[in-house]
Amino acid sequence: MPQQTHAGAGRIALFDNIKGLLIVLVVVGHVAHPVHNDNPAISALFDVIYLFHMPLFVFVSGLFAKRAGGGANVNRILSFALLAALYQLALMLINGAELTPARFLQFTSAPWYLLAMAYWYAAAPVLARLGWKRGMALALALSWAIGFVDLSDGLLAISRSLAFLPWFAAGLYCPVERVVALKESRSRTVRATLAAAVALAAAIALARVLDARVYDWFFQMVYGDNPYRVLPLDLLGKTVAAAIALVFSAAVLRLVPSRRSWLTVLGERTLGIYVGHRLVRAWLTFRTPLYEQPVLLDPLWGTLVVLGLSAVIVTACSAPALTDGLNRILRRRWLPESAEGRG
């Protein structure tokens, strides 16, 4: 592989570029959230982003969760759980939420992903032992089954964690080299398939621009929080949402560059951006009058403000010191290596 395709020691630029794009979309989605129901342009952008950005993020997380020997990475599990708890507490303090145990356990915002990572890392050895056929069948069954239980209050991020489990499992089972090979393939069939995914994703996005209600019948199933209310329509909606996410993921693979770019740097610093941006957004929401400004409701100027503010937040939160500090927690050895290996 040419040197330019490497992002750094042990890293592949393609995946950092994908993560870089996705973290930008995460920030845009969260910055847009307070006004997305009141600005039609932002609403369309928000809906398209939420079709695929988290499924693909979870898949990439699974790709790099593989562990030699198949044992549980207990230290990483503990680190993710600790970061999730600290993140949740920080958000509650900024939001002015009531500091009660019941509220603390409601992971309805960004900290859910870090707690889910703890669950997924804990599940990884079990999935590895099951093999990809049985493991994917179990992950899909749990993802579909969680819709029969109402955990829309975000209790310990259980609903979202199970809803997105198939994407993590798919990443866990998929060799990294296979994704790279698809990206670099000169096969006409592969290239035509990826090009078709780009065209189909564009058509799906355009449909939302032309009709604000076109996603209504399935969109509530996109994020994994909501229980089934109308069967079998909601089951079908969850399946369609997963298929659309797959199409957009293939389109991203086709469009994202393999060589180093500005996205690569962001991809290397996703943890800092992920944690930092949501704290900034919370402060802007609850401590400033920003989201009360009428300009945010204007389809053109409001969208430009959201995109510009997102760019500033991404830049600020991509400071190496932030990611380095969080990585020190993430990579800390809480247990001796021998004790961890017994997991």
Side-chain angles (χ1 to χ4, degrees):
M1 186 177 296
Q3 185 179 4
Q4 295 94 326
T5 63
H6 284 80
R11 303 184 73 103
I12 301 173
L14 170 64
F15 297 107
D16 278 325
N17 290 338
I18 291 173
K19 290 168 61 181
L21 172 64
L22 294 175
I23 198 63
V24 169
L25 296 179
V26 167
V27 175
V28 171
H30 283 156
V31 172
H33 188 272
V35 294
H36 82 280
N37 286 325
D38 303 308
N39 181 321
I42 289 177
S43 179
L45 177 63
F46 180 92
D47 286 359
V48 172
I49 288 173
Y50 274 73
L51 287 177
F52 73 96
H53 76 311
M54 290 315 299
L56 184 52
F57 226 137
V58 176
F59 173 80
V60 174
S61 295
L63 272 178
F64 295 98
K66 300 172 180 65
R67 181 174 169 83
N73 192 338
V74 178
N75 283 308
R76 188 58 57 89
I77 293 167
L78 293 174
S79 293
F80 274 125
L82 175 61
L83 282 174
L86 294 174
Y87 195 6
Q88 178 82 331
L89 180 60
L91 267 183
M92 291 175 67
L93 290 171
I94 294 173
N95 292 351
E98 187 178 3
L99 296 178
T100 64
R103 178 62 187 87
F104 180 80
L105 296 178
Q106 294 175 347
F107 282 75
T108 55
S109 189
W112 81 266
Y113 192 84
L114 298 179
L115 186 56
M117 286 293 287
Y119 297 151
W120 295 330
Y121 265 70
V126 177
L127 293 171
R129 293 189 189 101
L130 287 173
W132 77 267
K133 291 183 179 178
R134 290 186 297 170
M136 284 303 303
L138 175 61
L140 287 167
L142 291 172
S143 178
W144 283 323
I146 193 60
F148 291 100
V149 182
D150 188 353
L151 292 176
S152 55
D153 62 355
L155 177 65
L156 289 171
I158 294 171
S159 182
R160 289 183 184 178
S161 300
L162 290 177
F164 288 111
L165 179 61
W167 294 93
F168 182 83
L172 194 69
Y173 292 127
C174 181
V176 171
E177 297 79 9
R178 184 168 297 175
V179 180
V180 175
L182 281 175
K183 172 66 175 177
E184 298 180 348
S185 176
R186 297 187 178 277
S187 164
R188 290 184 178 180
T189 301
V190 172
R191 293 171 71 88
T193 300
L194 293 179
V198 173
L200 183 54
I204 293 170
L206 180 61
R208 173 59 183 82
V209 172
L210 298 176
D211 183 354
R213 303 186 65 88
V214 70
Y215 295 169
D216 283 3
W217 70 276
F218 73 86
F219 196 76
Q220 292 302 310
M221 294 294 105
V222 164
Y223 217 63
D225 285 317
N226 298 306
Y228 303 135
R229 301 192 187 282
V230 180
L231 291 172
L233 183 63
D234 285 345
L235 268 171
L236 176 61
K238 178 174 276 193
T239 305
V240 168
I244 290 174
L246 184 61
V247 169
F248 273 84
S249 298
V252 168
L253 181 64
R254 173 66 180 84
L255 296 174
V256 165
S258 297
R259 297 177 180 272
R260 283 192 63 87
S261 68
W262 62 274
L263 287 173
T264 316
V265 177
L266 298 182
E268 293 168 346
R269 302 174 184 175
T270 51
L271 182 57
I273 299 171
Y274 187 77
V275 172
H277 89 278
R278 190 58 183 83
L279 299 177
V280 173
R281 213 296 314 269
W283 179 78
L284 291 172
T285 304
F286 293 99
R287 307 294 180 177
T288 78
L290 172 68
Y291 284 102
E292 299 171 9
Q293 304 309 308
V295 68
L296 290 174
L297 306 185
D298 182 85
L300 174 59
W301 294 109
T303 303
L304 290 176
V305 169
V306 164
L307 294 177
L309 181 58
S310 298
V312 171
I313 293 173
V314 167
T315 302
C317 294
S318 65
L322 181 54
T323 291
D324 290 346
L326 292 169
N327 275 332
R328 279 195 286 273
I329 298 175
L330 191 61
R331 295 167 181 166
R332 182 180 175 85
R333 286 199 170 277
W334 306 99
L335 300 174
E337 187 170 355
S338 57
E340 181 186 4
R342 290 196 291 270

Coordinates of all heavy atoms in Angstrom, one line a residue, residues 132-181:
W132 N -19.4 -15.9 12.6 CA -20.2 -14.8 12.0 C -21.6 -15.1 11.7 O -22.5 -14.3 11.9 CB -19.5 -14.3 10.8 CG -19.6 -15.1 9.5 CD1 -18.8 -16.1 9.1 CD2 -20.7 -15.0 8.6 NE1 -19.2 -16.6 7.9 CE2 -20.4 -16.0 7.6 CE3 -21.8 -14.2 8.4 CZ2 -21.2 -16.2 6.5 CZ3 -22.6 -14.4 7.4 CH2 -22.3 -15.4 6.4
K133 N -21.9 -16.4 11.4 CA -23.3 -16.7 11.1 C -24.2 -16.7 12.3 O -25.2 -16.0 12.3 CB -23.4 -18.1 10.4 CG -22.8 -18.2 9.0 CD -22.9 -19.6 8.4 CE -22.3 -19.6 7.0 NZ -22.5 -21.0 6.4
R134 N -23.8 -17.4 13.3 CA -24.6 -17.4 14.6 C -24.5 -16.0 15.3 O -25.5 -15.5 15.8 CB -24.2 -18.5 15.5 CG -24.5 -19.9 15.0 CD -24.2 -20.9 16.0 NE -22.7 -21.0 16.3 CZ -22.2 -21.6 17.3 NH1 -23.0 -22.3 18.2 NH2 -20.9 -21.6 17.5
G135 N -23.4 -15.4 15.2 CA -23.2 -14.1 15.9 C -24.1 -13.0 15.2 O -24.7 -12.2 15.9
M136 N -24.1 -13.0 13.9 CA -24.9 -12.0 13.2 C -26.4 -12.3 13.4 O -27.2 -11.3 13.6 CB -24.6 -11.9 11.7 CG -23.3 -11.2 11.4 SD -23.2 -9.5 12.0 CE -24.6 -8.8 11.2
A137 N -26.7 -13.5 13.4 CA -28.1 -13.9 13.7 C -28.6 -13.5 15.1 O -29.7 -12.9 15.2 CB -28.3 -15.4 13.5
L138 N -27.7 -13.7 16.1 CA -28.1 -13.2 17.4 C -28.2 -11.7 17.5 O -29.1 -11.2 18.1 CB -27.0 -13.7 18.4 CG -27.1 -13.3 19.9 CD1 -28.4 -13.8 20.5 CD2 -25.9 -13.8 20.7
A139 N -27.2 -11.0 16.9 CA -27.2 -9.5 16.9 C -28.4 -9.0 16.3 O -29.1 -8.0 16.8 CB -25.9 -9.0 16.3
L140 N -28.8 -9.5 15.1 CA -30.0 -9.1 14.4 C -31.3 -9.4 15.3 O -32.2 -8.5 15.3 CB -30.1 -9.7 13.1 CG -29.1 -9.2 12.0 CD1 -29.1 -10.1 10.8 CD2 -29.5 -7.8 11.6
A141 N -31.3 -10.6 15.9 CA -32.5 -10.9 16.7 C -32.7 -10.0 17.9 O -33.8 -9.5 18.2 CB -32.4 -12.4 17.2
L142 N -31.5 -9.6 18.5 CA -31.6 -8.7 19.7 C -32.0 -7.3 19.2 O -32.8 -6.6 19.9 CB -30.3 -8.7 20.4 CG -29.9 -10.0 21.2 CD1 -28.5 -9.9 21.7 CD2 -30.9 -10.2 22.3
S143 N -31.5 -6.9 18.0 CA -31.8 -5.6 17.5 C -33.3 -5.5 17.2 O -33.9 -4.4 17.5 CB -31.0 -5.3 16.2 OG -31.3 -4.1 15.7
W144 N -33.8 -6.5 16.6 CA -35.3 -6.4 16.3 C -36.1 -6.6 17.5 O -37.1 -5.9 17.7 CB -35.6 -7.6 15.3 CG -35.2 -7.3 13.9 CD1 -35.3 -6.0 13.3 CD2 -34.7 -8.2 12.9 NE1 -34.8 -6.1 12.0 CE2 -34.5 -7.4 11.7 CE3 -34.4 -9.5 12.9 CZ2 -34.0 -8.0 10.6 CZ3 -33.9 -10.1 11.8 CH2 -33.7 -9.4 10.6
A145 N -35.6 -7.4 18.5 CA -36.4 -7.7 19.7 C -36.5 -6.5 20.6 O -37.6 -6.4 21.3 CB -35.9 -8.9 20.4
I146 N -35.5 -5.7 20.7 CA -35.5 -4.6 21.6 C -36.7 -3.6 21.3 O -37.1 -2.9 22.2 CB -34.2 -3.8 21.6 CG1 -34.1 -2.9 22.8 CG2 -33.9 -3.1 20.4 CD1 -34.2 -3.6 24.2
G147 N -37.2 -3.6 20.1 CA -38.3 -2.7 19.8 C -39.6 -3.1 20.5 O -40.5 -2.3 20.6
F148 N -39.6 -4.3 21.0 CA -40.8 -4.7 21.8 C -40.8 -4.2 23.2 O -41.8 -4.4 23.9 CB -41.0 -6.2 21.7 CG -41.3 -6.8 20.4 CD1 -40.3 -7.4 19.6 CD2 -42.6 -6.8 19.9 CE1 -40.6 -7.9 18.3 CE2 -42.9 -7.3 18.6 CZ -41.9 -7.8 17.9
V149 N -39.7 -3.6 23.6 CA -39.6 -3.1 25.0 C -39.4 -1.6 24.9 O -38.6 -1.1 24.1 CB -38.4 -3.7 25.7 CG1 -38.3 -3.2 27.1 CG2 -38.4 -5.2 25.7
D150 N -40.2 -0.9 25.7 CA -40.1 0.6 25.7 C -39.0 1.1 26.7 O -39.2 1.2 27.9 CB -41.5 1.2 26.1 CG -41.5 2.7 26.0 OD1 -40.4 3.3 25.6 OD2 -42.6 3.3 26.1
L151 N -37.8 1.4 26.1 CA -36.7 1.9 26.8 C -36.4 3.3 26.2 O -35.2 3.7 26.2 CB -35.5 1.0 26.8 CG -35.7 -0.3 27.6 CD1 -34.5 -1.2 27.4 CD2 -35.9 0.0 29.1
S152 N -37.4 4.0 25.8 CA -37.2 5.3 25.2 C -36.7 6.4 26.1 O -36.3 7.5 25.7 CB -38.5 5.8 24.5 OG -39.5 5.8 25.4
D153 N -36.6 6.1 27.5 CA -36.1 7.0 28.4 C -34.5 6.9 28.5 O -33.9 7.6 29.2 CB -36.6 6.8 29.8 CG -36.3 5.4 30.4 OD1 -35.7 4.5 29.6 OD2 -36.7 5.1 31.5
G154 N -34.0 6.0 27.6 CA -32.5 5.9 27.6 C -31.9 5.2 28.7 O -30.6 5.3 28.9
L155 N -32.6 4.4 29.4 CA -32.1 3.7 30.6 C -30.8 2.9 30.2 O -30.8 2.0 29.4 CB -33.1 2.7 31.1 CG -32.6 1.8 32.3 CD1 -32.3 2.7 33.5 CD2 -33.7 0.8 32.7
L156 N -29.7 3.4 30.7 CA -28.3 2.8 30.5 C -28.0 2.5 29.1 O -27.2 1.6 28.8 CB -28.2 1.5 31.4 CG -28.1 1.7 32.9 CD1 -28.3 0.4 33.6 CD2 -26.9 2.4 33.3
A157 N -28.6 3.3 28.2 CA -28.4 3.1 26.7 C -28.6 1.7 26.2 O -28.0 1.3 25.2 CB -26.9 3.6 26.4
I158 N -29.5 1.0 26.9 CA -29.7 -0.4 26.5 C -30.3 -0.5 25.1 O -29.9 -1.3 24.2 CB -30.6 -1.1 27.5 CG1 -29.8 -1.2 28.9 CG2 -31.0 -2.5 27.0 CD1 -30.7 -1.7 30.0
S159 N -31.3 0.3 24.8 CA -32.1 0.2 23.6 C -31.2 0.5 22.4 O -31.1 -0.2 21.4 CB -33.3 1.2 23.6 OG -34.0 1.1 22.4
R160 N -30.4 1.6 22.4 CA -29.6 2.0 21.3 C -28.4 1.0 21.2 O -28.0 0.6 20.0 CB -29.0 3.4 21.5 CG -30.0 4.5 21.4 CD -29.3 5.9 21.5 NE -30.3 6.9 21.4 CZ -30.0 8.2 21.6 NH1 -28.8 8.6 21.8 NH2 -31.0 9.1 21.5
S161 N -27.9 0.5 22.3 CA -26.8 -0.4 22.2 C -27.2 -1.7 21.5 O -26.4 -2.2 20.6 CB -26.3 -0.8 23.6 OG -25.8 0.4 24.3
L162 N -28.4 -2.2 21.8 CA -28.9 -3.4 21.1 C -29.3 -3.1 19.7 O -29.1 -3.9 18.8 CB -30.0 -4.0 21.9 CG -29.6 -4.7 23.2 CD1 -30.8 -5.2 24.0 CD2 -28.6 -5.8 23.0
A163 N -29.9 -1.9 19.5 CA -30.3 -1.6 18.1 C -29.2 -1.5 17.1 O -29.3 -2.0 16.0 CB -31.1 -0.2 18.1
F164 N -28.0 -1.0 17.6 CA -26.9 -0.9 16.7 C -25.9 -2.1 16.8 O -24.8 -2.1 16.1 CB -26.1 0.4 17.0 CG -26.8 1.6 16.5 CD1 -27.4 2.5 17.4 CD2 -27.0 1.9 15.2 CE1 -28.1 3.6 17.0 CE2 -27.7 3.0 14.8 CZ -28.2 3.9 15.7
L165 N -26.2 -3.1 17.6 CA -25.3 -4.2 17.8 C -24.9 -4.9 16.5 O -23.8 -5.3 16.3 CB -25.9 -5.2 18.8 CG -25.1 -6.5 19.0 CD1 -23.7 -6.1 19.6 CD2 -25.9 -7.4 20.0
P166 N -25.9 -5.1 15.6 CA -25.5 -5.7 14.3 C -24.4 -5.0 13.5 O -23.6 -5.6 12.9 CB -26.8 -5.8 13.5 CG -27.9 -5.7 14.5 CD -27.3 -4.9 15.6
W167 N -24.4 -3.7 13.6 CA -23.4 -2.9 12.9 C -22.0 -3.1 13.5 O -21.0 -3.3 12.8 CB -23.7 -1.4 12.9 CG -24.9 -1.2 12.1 CD1 -26.2 -1.1 12.5 CD2 -25.0 -1.0 10.7 NE1 -27.1 -0.9 11.5 CE2 -26.3 -0.8 10.3 CE3 -24.0 -0.9 9.7 CZ2 -26.8 -0.6 9.0 CZ3 -24.4 -0.7 8.4 CH2 -25.8 -0.5 8.0
F168 N -22.0 -3.2 14.9 CA -20.7 -3.5 15.5 C -20.2 -4.9 15.2 O -19.1 -5.1 14.9 CB -20.9 -3.3 17.1 CG -19.6 -3.6 17.8 CD1 -18.7 -2.6 18.0 CD2 -19.3 -4.8 18.4 CE1 -17.5 -2.8 18.7 CE2 -18.2 -5.0 19.1 CZ -17.2 -4.0 19.3
A169 N -21.2 -5.9 15.3 CA -20.8 -7.3 15.0 C -20.3 -7.4 13.5 O -19.4 -8.1 13.3 CB -22.0 -8.2 15.2
A170 N -21.0 -6.7 12.6 CA -20.5 -6.8 11.2 C -19.1 -6.3 11.1 O -18.3 -6.8 10.4 CB -21.5 -6.0 10.3
G171 N -18.8 -5.2 11.8 CA -17.4 -4.7 11.7 C -16.4 -5.6 12.4 O -15.3 -5.8 11.9
L172 N -16.9 -6.3 13.5 CA -16.0 -7.2 14.2 C -15.7 -8.4 13.3 O -14.5 -8.9 13.3 CB -16.7 -7.7 15.4 CG -15.9 -8.4 16.5 CD1 -15.0 -7.5 17.2 CD2 -16.9 -9.1 17.5
Y173 N -16.6 -8.9 12.5 CA -16.4 -10.0 11.7 C -15.7 -9.7 10.3 O -15.1 -10.6 9.7 CB -17.7 -10.7 11.4 CG -18.4 -11.4 12.6 CD1 -19.7 -11.1 12.9 CD2 -17.7 -12.3 13.4 CE1 -20.3 -11.7 14.0 CE2 -18.3 -12.9 14.5 CZ -19.6 -12.6 14.8 OH -20.2 -13.2 15.9
C174 N -15.8 -8.5 9.9 CA -15.3 -8.1 8.6 C -13.8 -7.8 8.7 O -13.4 -6.9 9.5 CB -16.0 -6.9 8.1 SG -15.5 -6.3 6.4
P175 N -13.0 -8.5 7.9 CA -11.5 -8.1 7.9 C -11.3 -6.7 7.4 O -12.0 -6.3 6.4 CB -10.9 -9.2 7.0 CG -11.9 -10.3 6.9 CD -13.3 -9.6 7.1
V176 N -10.5 -6.0 8.0 CA -10.2 -4.6 7.6 C -9.7 -4.6 6.1 O -10.1 -3.8 5.3 CB -9.1 -4.0 8.5 CG1 -8.6 -2.7 7.9 CG2 -9.6 -3.8 9.9
E177 N -8.9 -5.6 5.8 CA -8.4 -5.7 4.4 C -9.5 -5.8 3.4 O -9.3 -5.4 2.3 CB -7.4 -6.9 4.3 CG -6.2 -6.8 5.2 CD -6.5 -7.2 6.7 OE1 -7.6 -7.7 7.0 OE2 -5.6 -7.0 7.5
R178 N -10.6 -6.4 3.8 CA -11.7 -6.6 2.8 C -12.3 -5.3 2.4 O -12.7 -5.0 1.3 CB -12.7 -7.6 3.4 CG -13.9 -7.9 2.4 CD -14.7 -9.0 2.9 NE -13.9 -10.2 3.0 CZ -14.4 -11.4 3.5 NH1 -15.7 -11.4 3.9 NH2 -13.7 -12.5 3.5
V179 N -12.4 -4.4 3.4 CA -13.0 -3.1 3.1 C -12.0 -2.3 2.2 O -12.5 -1.6 1.3 CB -13.3 -2.3 4.4 CG1 -13.9 -0.9 4.2 CG2 -14.2 -3.1 5.3
V180 N -10.7 -2.4 2.6 CA -9.7 -1.7 1.8 C -9.8 -2.2 0.3 O -9.7 -1.5 -0.6 CB -8.3 -1.8 2.4 CG1 -7.3 -1.2 1.5 CG2 -8.3 -1.2 3.8
A181 N -9.9 -3.5 0.2 CA -9.9 -4.2 -1.1 C -11.1 -3.7 -1.9 O -11.0 -3.5 -3.1 CB -9.9 -5.7 -1.0

